[in-house]
């Protein structure tokens, strides 16, 4: 009898690949000889096989290509003998018969687990043999694997149900048939559901249970019991033992996997799919089918899902969402390129997923009306699309051939080491070896076939979706379905610049699962899906991508709804970029926006980027709002809301580099309105504080009180984050007088308490935030001095005791709030103090001494320490203040508190040469504009070369430089120029030729 007649399987062989690894073949043939030599029957079997060229070629195809299959064969030589002698069909029946016997519900768990693993090893060997030999078509191989997975899962759950019945936790309707009407539903998803399971695939399951059908008699809750049973099911399937494992099991396709238990009541599943089901889940549910447990109940649930999956009317918004999910996978040009080495034949361009999406998207569009399109298998769906007139027959044929080729390649790739992978080897020799395993003697022929297949799929897919690569985008694959991180998505996020990519991925999945009110509706999720690449790119293009993302998440978390905002972002991409810039480059503005998302409505108004209104209009606006105040606390909250909204607006204008024709730049432009709104608020709060205090102590007869602004508030150079430098003065007609209230106190104590309460009113944190941090260090005697000082004491201190630096600082002071007559008197006192005769030599020496100490303290400061570096902001202000003290007696017009305005007056009075004055004015605007943006973005941190590109570009723009390198050079030159002017002007009389 010939070998072919004795060994039925040899007659099934169509073609065989050669051995790609001769050394591996030789080792495995030795192992084969050793194993079969141990048993006379097997020895004879091996000898007979050796006499057949087909049999020898078959062994070579396995032993020379796949270490995993080699191990399976060597462990299952008796079964392999049965396969060779009886053929594939009888071997298949044998596997399922043995599975039924070895895994009967009444058997012990260890016996069941062993039987499942032995069965899996045999089914792996059988399907691989039929694949390699060309004995079975692809779809029979995938159906066989799917049938085995379903039977194995059913055997495991049947054993667990029976064990629960025996233990007294459950009362089954029929203990001899544990799964009959048991109420436990196990759905097979993905390729398992569609009978398309690949060779080393995980199995995707959803476990549901019906409380109404299950009679639970255990001690705890049924929900807990079902979770424990599901965990046991997973353990039985995927734990590795001496016999291997059955299937890696994935439960992440259940509703909202990050928030729901692994076994879900069917009522909860009903609620989820009726209200929150996402479009990618509609696509996933096309392939769902009950594979184990209560099959009838499972079929009823699939019937319930029908309206969710198959909508009656065309739903282009839903399809746009499905397409957006796919477009996330390759939204930059690099991903669109097909490179064979290392290419992903599943999710890469031209891969299996594109064929599946080609089918599923058209099913979702038309399947609600055309019952013929409600198919689960890919190839049968391609046929149905042709039948429905949606796809041309040639396209169907191309995609069918491509699908079969790619799935076969996927199987061969996974057979090598039993790995769940779709990545082609990135080493040329290994890819060539894979080509040999596919049956190509010439590696170049394999590469040409592979590339042609991928390009063909890509072409048909792009023609359907009219997919256009966006060359400007940097983002790669982004997938946020399920509950676990997608490795390539993490790589994409890291490439964008996010450090904690896993945390980012987790939060985005929560957005998509509707955890926030803003993302709860289907439409919001559709819009968000389409926006995700842009959102992530814009957030990544900021000073701190991770911080920007977290602030955006906090903002999203507080939104009452999302559709309107996401629609705005879609219609106005510039708004999204602006919001991303706020989140990444302005922490304080981001916090304000997160606390009050309605601020975005104002951003879209036509006048949001226009200059802030003049003072009378602002006063009228605030006064109108204050008419609704019921008490003192309301006044504080209204003032905070009003001013913080305006500070947000001005901050956004600075961030957006808005310049309304003023060449000085955005931060310089902002100084006056920011200072004005501070004065307006203080002028409204002070009377309220005074009234509160007078209710308890009465007022000071004839007493007067005033607030002086110093520092940036005094010079009207405030930024959105500036402190308020304040000085308090009062005046009394009679020092011996007491307040006239129920609890009289001395005037000095009264005005001290008034000052303290005023400070608290400005700086106390309420639900609307706070107004200003108040700095009192510039008052007479500094920290050691009284909070409020009588006017004559104020004058006496500055005329007799004050240091030179205090006189310099006083050149920026001005009265802003309080008794009108005292404001006028205080202004006269200020002018009198500043115009007093000066000892030029002493002032100059003191200033140079101060500068020397500052230079020593900041000797190694980088040029970006704008305030303290040589030639920086402090040196520039020293020049201006120095000239004021020396010349204001003869030129009172230079006593402008604002530095730039004062410098202009000095140029007019010829106290400054025009070239020097122009250089100082330009430098002041340059410094202030840089400082404003830096404080918005980095707060107290210093600019370095490591700051993100987006901040470098923004600083370069606001600094009037071509790029960051040019900006550094401009800054260095400006500081050198300021130093030169300082050394030229601040000269001790009698030195340097004076």
């Amino acid at each position: 009898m010939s070998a072919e007649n004795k060994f039925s399987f040899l007659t099934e062989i169509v073609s065989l690949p050669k051995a790609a690894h001769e050394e591996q073949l030789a080792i495995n043939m030795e192992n084969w000889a050793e194993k079969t030599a141990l048993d006379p029957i097997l020895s004879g079997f091996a000898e007979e096989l050796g006499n057949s060229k087909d049999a020898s070629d078959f062994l070579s195809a396995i032993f020379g290509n796949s270490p995993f299959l080699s191990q399976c064969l060597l462990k299952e030589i008796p079964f392999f003998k049965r396969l060779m002698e009886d053929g594939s069909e009888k071997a298949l029946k044998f596997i399922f018969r043995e599975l039924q016997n070895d895994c009967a519900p009444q058997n012990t768990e260890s016996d069941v687990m062993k039987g499942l693993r032995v069965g899996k090893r045999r089914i792996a060997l059988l399907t691989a043999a039929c694949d390699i030999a060309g004995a079975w078509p692809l779809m029979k191989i995938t159906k066989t694997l799917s049938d085995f997975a379903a039977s194995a899962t059913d055997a495991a759950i049947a054993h667990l149900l029976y064990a629960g019945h025996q233990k007294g936790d459950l009362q089954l309707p029929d203990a001899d048939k544990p799964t009959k009407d048991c109420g436990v539903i196990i759905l097979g998803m993905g390729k398992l559901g569609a009978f398309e399971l690949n060779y080393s695939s995980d199995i995707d399951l959803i476990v549901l249970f019906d409380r109404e059908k299950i009679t639970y008699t255990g001690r705890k809750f049924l929900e807990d019991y079902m979770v424990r049973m599901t965990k046991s099911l997973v353990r039985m399937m995927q734990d590795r033992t001496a016999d291997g494992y059955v299937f890696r099991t994935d439960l992440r396709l259940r509703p909202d996997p990050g928030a729901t238990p692994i076994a879900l009541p069917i009522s909860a599943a009903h609620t989820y799919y009726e209200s929150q089901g996402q479009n990618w889940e509609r696509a996933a549910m096309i392939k769902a089918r009950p594979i184990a447990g209560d099959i009838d109940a499972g079929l009823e649930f699939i019937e319930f899902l029908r309206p969710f999956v198959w909508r009656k009317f065309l739903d282009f918004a839903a399809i746009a969402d499905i397409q957006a999910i796919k477009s996330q996978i390759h939204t930059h040009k690099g991903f669109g390129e097909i490179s064979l080495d290392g290419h992903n034949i599943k999710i890469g361009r031209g891969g299996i997923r594109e064929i599946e999406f080609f089918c599923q998207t058209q099913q979702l569009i038309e399947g609600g009306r055309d019952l013929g399109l409600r198919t689960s298998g890919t190839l049968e769906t391609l046929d149905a699309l042709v039948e429905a007139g949606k796809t041309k027959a040639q396209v169907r044929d191309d995609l069918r051939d491509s699908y079969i080729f790619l799935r076969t390649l996927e199987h061969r790739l996974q057979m090598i080491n039993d790995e769940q992978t779709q990545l082609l080897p990135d080493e040329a020799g290994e890819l060539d070896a894979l080509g040999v395993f596919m049956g190509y003697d010439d590696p170049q022929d394999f590469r040409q076939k592979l590339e042609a297949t991928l390009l063909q799929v890509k072409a048909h897919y792009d023609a359907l979706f009219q997919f256009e690569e966006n060359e400007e985008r940097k983002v790669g694959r982004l997938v946020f379905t399920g509950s676990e991180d997608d490795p390539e998505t993490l790589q994409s996020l890291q490439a964008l610049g996010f450090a904690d990519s896993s945390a980012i991925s987790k939060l985005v999945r929560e957005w998509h699962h509707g955890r926030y009110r803003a993302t709860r509706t289907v439409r919001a999720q559709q819009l968000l899906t389409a926006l995700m690449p842009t959102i992530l790119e814009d957030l990544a293009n900021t000073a701190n991508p991770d911080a920007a993302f977290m602030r955006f998440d906090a903002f999203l978390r507080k939104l009452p709804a999302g559709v309107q905002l996401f629609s705005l972002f879609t219609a106005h991409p510039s708004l999204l970029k602006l919001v991303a810039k706020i989140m990444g480059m302005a922490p304080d503005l981001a916090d304000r926006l997160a606390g009050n998302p309605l601020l975005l409505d104002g951003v879209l108004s036509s006048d949001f980027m226009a200059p802030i209104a003049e003072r009378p209009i602002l006063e009228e606006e605030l006064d109108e709002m204050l008419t609704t105040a019921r008490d003192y606390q309301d006044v504080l909250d209204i003032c905070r809301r009003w001013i913080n909204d305006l500070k947000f607006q001005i901050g956004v204008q600075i961030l957006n580099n808005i310049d309304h024709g003023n060449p000085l730049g955005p931060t310089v432009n902002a100084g006056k309105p920011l200072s004005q709104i501070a004065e307006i608020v203080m002028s409204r709060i002070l009377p309220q504080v005074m009234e509160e205090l007078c209710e308890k102590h009465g007022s000071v007869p004839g007493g007067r009180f005033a607030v002086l602004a110093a520092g940036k508030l005094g010079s009207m150079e405030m930024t959105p984050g500036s402190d308020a430098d304040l000085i308090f003065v009062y005046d009394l007609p009679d020092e011996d007088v007491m307040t006239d209230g129920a609890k009289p106190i001395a005037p000095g104590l009264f005005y001290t308490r008034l000052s303290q309460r005023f400070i608290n009113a400005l700086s106390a944190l309420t639900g609307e935030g706070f107004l200003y941090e108040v700095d009192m260090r510039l008052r007479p005697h500094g920290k050691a001095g009284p909070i409020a000082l009588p006017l004559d004491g104020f004058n006496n201190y500055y005329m007799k005791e004050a240091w030179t630096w205090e006189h310099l600082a006083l050149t920026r002071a001005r009265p802003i709030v309080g008794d009108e007559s005292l404001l006028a008197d205080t202004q006269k006192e200020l002018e009198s103090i500043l115009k007093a005769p000066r000892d030029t030599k002493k002032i100059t020496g003191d200033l140079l001494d101060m500068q020397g100490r500052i230079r020593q303290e900041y000797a190694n400061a980088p040029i970006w320490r704008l305030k303290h570096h040589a030639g920086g902001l402090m040196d520039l202000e020293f020049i201006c203040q120095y000239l004021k003290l020396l010349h204001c007696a003869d030129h009172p017009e230079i006593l402008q508190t604002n530095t730039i305005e004062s410098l202009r007056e000095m140029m007019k009075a010829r106290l400054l040469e025009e070239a020097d004055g122009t250089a100082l004015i330009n430098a002041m605007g340059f410094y202030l504009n840089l400082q404003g943006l830096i404080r918005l973005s980095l707060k107290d941190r210093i600019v370095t070369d490591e700051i993100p590109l987006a901040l470098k570009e923004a600083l370069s723009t606001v600094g009037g430089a071509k790029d960051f390198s040019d900006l550094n050079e401009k800054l260095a030159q400006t500081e050198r120029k300021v130093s030169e002017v300082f050394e030229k002007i601040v000269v001790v009389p009698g030195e340097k030729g004076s």
Side-chain angles (χ1 to χ4, degrees):
M1 181 183 295
S2 68
E4 285 70 20
N5 291 332
K6 182 173 179 58
F7 298 118
S8 296
F9 184 76
L10 296 180
T11 64
E12 300 181 41
I13 294 175
V14 175
S15 63
L16 289 168
K18 293 181 179 179
H21 303 284
E22 292 296 333
E23 184 177 347
Q24 184 178 303
L25 170 61
I27 293 172
N28 284 321
M29 287 302 296
E30 287 182 15
N31 292 334
W32 163 260
E34 290 177 4
K35 291 270 189 181
T36 54
L38 298 175
D39 184 319
I41 295 177
L42 296 181
S43 178
F45 165 64
E47 184 179 349
E48 291 179 324
L49 276 184
N51 294 328
S52 166
K53 184 180 184 304
D54 286 345
S56 296
D57 289 345
F58 180 67
L59 286 175
S60 294
I62 292 177
F63 287 152
N65 288 300
S66 170
F68 170 70
L69 289 178
S70 300
Q71 292 176 10
C72 287
L73 193 155
L74 294 172
K75 286 183 178 179
E76 291 287 344
I77 295 177
F79 171 75
F80 180 67
K81 179 175 179 291
R82 178 184 296 274
L83 168 63
M84 298 303 294
E85 291 176 349
D86 296 345
S88 61
E89 292 299 329
K90 289 184 178 179
L92 178 61
K93 292 177 181 178
F94 169 80
I95 291 172
F96 278 94
R97 187 168 61 248
E98 289 294 293
L99 181 71
Q100 187 175 9
N101 294 332
D102 294 342
C103 301
Q106 300 82 3
N107 292 0
T108 65
E109 183 176 288
S110 60
D111 286 344
V112 173
M113 289 179 68
K114 180 178 179 65
L116 291 173
R117 282 153 178 76
V118 170
K120 171 61 186 303
R121 189 164 62 232
R122 290 170 175 171
I123 208 76
L125 181 58
L126 170 63
T127 52
C130 293
D131 184 318
I132 292 170
W136 286 358
L138 171 69
M139 299 318 297
K140 180 167 184 176
I141 293 168
T142 61
K143 184 177 187 303
T144 299
L145 291 167
S146 303
D147 287 342
F148 179 82
S151 297
T153 306
D154 193 61
I157 196 65
H159 167 77
L160 292 169
L161 288 166
Y162 181 81
H165 178 82
Q166 292 298 105
K167 189 178 178 182
D169 291 332
L170 298 171
Q171 289 184 8
L172 296 175
D174 186 347
D176 293 332
K177 298 178 181 178
T179 59
K180 183 180 179 182
D181 294 326
C182 67
V184 178
I185 301 167
I186 301 181
L187 300 180
M189 305 294 293
K191 287 182 167 58
L192 171 58
F195 296 98
E196 295 174 344
L197 201 63
N198 61 44
Y199 193 76
S200 294
S201 179
D202 300 350
I203 55 172
D204 294 295
L205 306 178
I206 293 178
V207 180
L208 306 171
F209 61 93
D210 187 346
R211 292 191 187 95
E212 302 299 320
K213 294 186 72 173
I214 298 175
T215 304
Y216 177 63
T217 52
R219 295 181 179 180
K220 296 186 178 180
F221 296 105
L222 173 60
E223 288 78 4
D224 295 334
Y225 184 82
M226 289 307 305
V227 168
R228 291 198 305 275
M229 180 183 286
T230 303
K231 288 180 179 178
S232 296
L233 172 67
V234 172
R235 176 179 51 77
M236 291 182 69
M237 296 295 283
Q238 71 179 22
D239 276 10
R240 286 186 179 273
T241 70
D243 296 299
Y245 72 103
V246 192
F247 290 99
R248 292 173 295 268
T249 305
D250 193 333
L251 302 171
R252 292 172 296 174
L253 288 181
R254 69 184 185 277
D256 198 358
T260 56
I262 56 176
L264 199 64
I266 197 167
S267 57
H270 285 167
T271 301
Y272 176 84
Y273 289 115
E274 285 177 333
S275 60
Q276 290 179 254
Q278 300 178 55
N279 280 305
W280 69 265
E281 290 174 305
R282 290 178 60 207
M285 282 299 175
I286 290 176
K287 296 186 176 185
R289 67 182 174 95
I291 60 149
D294 193 333
I295 299 297
D296 290 340
L299 291 172
E300 289 179 10
F301 182 73
I302 296 297
E303 185 63 30
F304 160 79
L305 286 176
R306 196 175 299 279
F308 167 68
V309 178
W310 308 111
R311 297 184 179 174
K312 292 183 179 180
F313 304 103
L314 292 179
D315 190 353
F316 289 109
I319 299 312
D321 185 42
I322 296 292
Q323 291 178 236
I325 293 172
K326 178 58 182 173
S327 72
Q328 289 178 7
I329 294 177
H330 39 70
T331 51
H332 76 312
K333 189 173 183 182
F335 202 91
E337 302 294 336
I338 293 176
S339 176
L340 301 187
D341 296 333
H343 192 73
N344 192 313
I345 59 172
K346 179 180 179 181
I347 64 171
R349 293 304 328 262
I352 298 165
R353 182 63 58 84
E354 292 193 345
I355 303 174
E356 293 172 340
F357 263 82
F358 182 95
C359 296
Q360 290 168 1
T361 50
Q362 295 188 82
Q363 285 180 286
L364 290 177
I365 292 173
E366 302 289 350
R369 298 183 300 170
D370 190 335
L371 300 183
L373 290 174
R374 299 181 182 183
T375 49
S376 62
T378 303
L379 296 185
E380 62 179 327
T381 302
L382 286 171
D383 288 337
L385 287 170
V386 173
E387 184 68 25
K390 303 300 177 183
T391 299
K392 294 180 179 179
Q394 185 60 53
V395 174
R396 184 267 319 273
D397 294 345
D398 289 346
L399 292 179
R400 179 188 60 205
D401 293 346
S402 297
Y403 184 79
I404 292 172
F405 176 83
L406 292 173
R407 286 299 310 273
T408 301
L409 178 59
E410 178 185 42
H411 284 183
R412 299 292 169 92
L413 184 61
Q414 294 176 352
M415 283 176 193
I416 295 172
N417 289 307
D418 190 31
E419 293 175 335
Q420 170 65 348
T421 181
Q422 287 85 20
L423 283 174
L424 296 175
D426 54 12
E427 197 277 315
E430 293 182 16
L431 183 61
D432 291 344
L434 179 62
V436 173
F437 196 18
M438 279 288 288
Y440 289 84
D441 296 336
D442 184 346
Q444 191 58 35
D445 290 345
F446 168 65
R447 287 174 175 269
Q448 289 176 354
K449 171 64 176 177
L450 175 57
E451 183 174 22
T453 299
L454 295 171
L455 289 172
Q456 183 168 257
V457 172
K458 178 180 180 293
H460 288 313
Y461 178 84
D462 290 354
L464 176 68
F465 285 159
Q466 295 182 336
F467 183 81
E468 295 181 3
E469 300 285 3
N470 188 336
E471 296 187 23
E472 295 180 359
R473 285 192 174 169
K474 300 178 295 183
V475 62
R477 168 182 165 88
L478 295 172
V479 175
F480 300 106
T481 56
S483 65
E484 298 297 323
D485 292 332
D486 173 68
E488 291 188 43
T489 297
L490 298 185
Q491 293 175 11
S492 297
L493 293 172
Q494 289 163 4
L496 282 172
F498 293 102
D500 193 351
S501 57
S502 182
I504 304 297
S505 178
K506 179 178 181 294
L507 283 172
V508 175
R509 288 198 304 273
E510 291 184 0
W511 298 353
H512 283 296
H513 282 294
R515 301 279 174 79
Y516 302 170
R517 285 178 297 172
T519 64
R520 205 159 283 170
T521 67
V522 171
R523 182 58 182 151
Q525 291 167 7
Q526 292 169 351
L527 291 167
L528 183 61
T529 301
L531 283 167
M532 274 317 305
T534 306
I535 288 174
L536 290 171
E537 265 197 1
D538 287 345
L539 291 173
N541 196 31
T542 61
N544 187 332
D546 287 72
F549 182 91
M550 293 305 172
R551 294 187 194 105
F552 188 81
D553 176 70
F555 165 69
L556 208 59
R557 193 185 299 265
K558 294 181 181 180
L559 281 177
V563 171
Q564 182 181 10
L565 178 67
F566 300 149
S567 298
L568 284 175
F569 285 162
T570 302
H572 303 280
S574 60
L575 179 62
L576 176 55
K577 290 184 182 298
L578 179 59
V579 169
K581 190 180 289 186
I582 291 170
M583 298 301 167
M585 297 177 69
D588 291 339
L589 299 184
D591 292 343
R592 179 66 183 161
L593 186 57
N596 185 13
L598 295 178
L599 286 170
L600 275 187
D601 291 342
V603 174
L604 287 175
S605 64
S606 59
D607 60 349
F608 185 83
M609 294 300 180
I612 302 302
E614 294 299 320
R615 181 163 185 158
I617 297 174
L618 293 173
E619 289 178 325
E620 182 181 347
E621 181 183 281
L622 178 57
D623 288 340
E624 183 177 349
M625 293 175 65
L626 287 171
T627 59
T628 65
R630 295 164 296 181
D631 52 28
Y632 175 69
Q633 189 59 47
D634 266 2
V635 170
L636 296 185
D637 283 341
I638 289 170
C639 286
R640 280 161 169 70
R641 194 178 311 127
W642 179 78
I643 204 166
N644 286 330
D645 286 357
L646 280 170
K647 285 164 74 174
F648 174 81
Q649 180 179 356
I650 295 169
V652 171
Q653 290 181 0
I654 293 174
L655 196 66
N656 212 37
N657 299 324
I658 301 301
D659 188 352
H660 299 285
N662 188 328
L664 291 176
T667 304
V668 177
N669 292 344
K672 183 177 179 180
L674 284 169
S675 303
Q676 280 188 344
I677 62 176
E679 292 177 40
I680 293 170
V681 161
M682 291 180 191
S683 70
R684 270 53 180 179
I685 287 180
L686 181 59
Q688 296 291 327
V689 176
M690 178 78 80
E691 184 179 332
E692 285 277 304
L693 187 61
C694 288
E695 285 181 8
K696 185 175 183 180
H697 298 293
S699 60
V700 178
R704 300 182 298 168
F705 182 80
V707 180
L708 280 70
K712 277 188 161 49
L713 175 57
S715 62
M716 303 193 80
E717 295 167 345
M718 294 189 83
T719 67
S722 290
D723 297 345
D725 291 284
L726 302 179
I727 300 171
F728 301 117
V729 297
Y730 62 90
D731 183 58
L732 304 172
D734 183 355
E735 293 186 2
D736 295 328
V737 73
M738 300 287 283
T739 60
D740 57 9
K743 295 182 179 181
I745 57 176
L749 179 59
F750 177 86
Y751 288 120
T752 295
R753 290 186 178 177
L754 177 62
S755 302
Q756 290 170 330
R757 291 192 177 200
F758 184 63
I759 292 170
N760 289 337
L762 296 178
S763 58
L765 185 65
T766 74
E768 294 293 337
F770 71 97
L771 292 170
Y772 296 99
E773 292 285 353
V774 176
D775 191 338
M776 298 291 296
R777 290 174 297 177
L778 293 181
R779 71 184 188 271
H781 302 286
K783 291 182 180 179
I787 293 181
L789 203 70
L791 183 59
D792 56 354
F794 176 85
N795 182 279
N796 187 61
Y797 176 81
Y798 278 104
M799 295 300 285
K800 297 179 180 179
E801 302 179 51
W803 297 78
T804 297
W805 72 264
E806 291 178 292
H807 284 273
L808 292 169
L810 202 63
T811 64
R812 300 170 75 186
R814 60 189 177 89
I816 57 169
V817 177
D819 185 278
E820 291 292 339
S821 63
L822 183 56
L823 291 175
D825 290 345
T826 305
Q827 181 62 36
K828 290 177 184 177
E829 292 292 342
L830 278 174
E831 292 176 5
S832 175
I833 294 167
L834 294 174
K835 291 177 182 178
R838 302 289 171 185
D839 182 340
T840 303
K841 187 171 183 179
K842 176 174 171 32
I843 294 174
T844 306
D846 288 348
L847 179 52
L848 290 172
D849 181 62
M850 275 190 295
Q851 188 202 53
R853 282 187 273 119
I854 292 170
R855 293 278 175 89
Q856 186 175 359
E857 182 179 354
Y858 295 99
N860 298 316
I863 62 171
W864 279 100
R865 189 172 284 279
L866 298 179
K867 183 175 182 180
H868 297 109
H869 192 274
L873 193 56
M874 184 168 282
D875 278 357
L876 196 159
E877 290 173 341
F878 276 162
I879 295 171
C880 183
Q881 293 162 10
Y882 173 76
L883 290 174
K884 285 183 188 180
L885 287 184
L886 292 185
H887 301 293
C888 68
D890 297 326
H891 299 279
E893 71 274 12
I894 69 173
L895 278 180
Q896 304 286 336
T897 58
N898 182 269
T899 305
I900 290 176
E901 292 177 4
S902 181
L903 290 170
R904 285 175 176 154
E905 293 297 331
M906 290 175 189
M907 290 170 63
K908 290 179 184 177
R910 301 189 182 278
L911 301 174
L912 262 178
E913 294 180 9
E914 186 171 345
D916 291 341
T918 300
L920 293 179
I921 289 172
N922 290 339
M924 189 66 182
F926 180 62
Y927 289 155
L928 288 178
N929 288 319
L930 292 177
Q931 189 181 64
L933 188 55
I934 291 167
R935 287 185 175 173
L936 277 173
S937 303
L938 302 176
K939 291 195 172 180
D940 297 326
R941 288 187 291 146
I942 299 293
V943 171
T944 66
D945 284 337
E946 281 68 47
I947 64 170
L949 178 62
L951 183 53
K952 288 180 178 179
E953 291 174 347
L955 287 170
S956 300
T957 299
V958 81
K962 292 183 296 183
D963 52 36
F964 192 65
S965 176
D966 184 43
L967 180 62
N968 274 283
E969 180 58 33
K970 181 176 180 179
L971 177 56
Q973 288 177 353
T974 302
E975 290 175 342
R976 286 195 294 270
K977 180 60 179 177
V978 171
S979 291
E980 289 174 10
V981 177
F982 185 98
E983 292 169 6
K984 178 179 178 181
I985 291 175
V986 184
V987 181
V988 177
E991 296 183 9
K992 293 189 179 180
S994 297

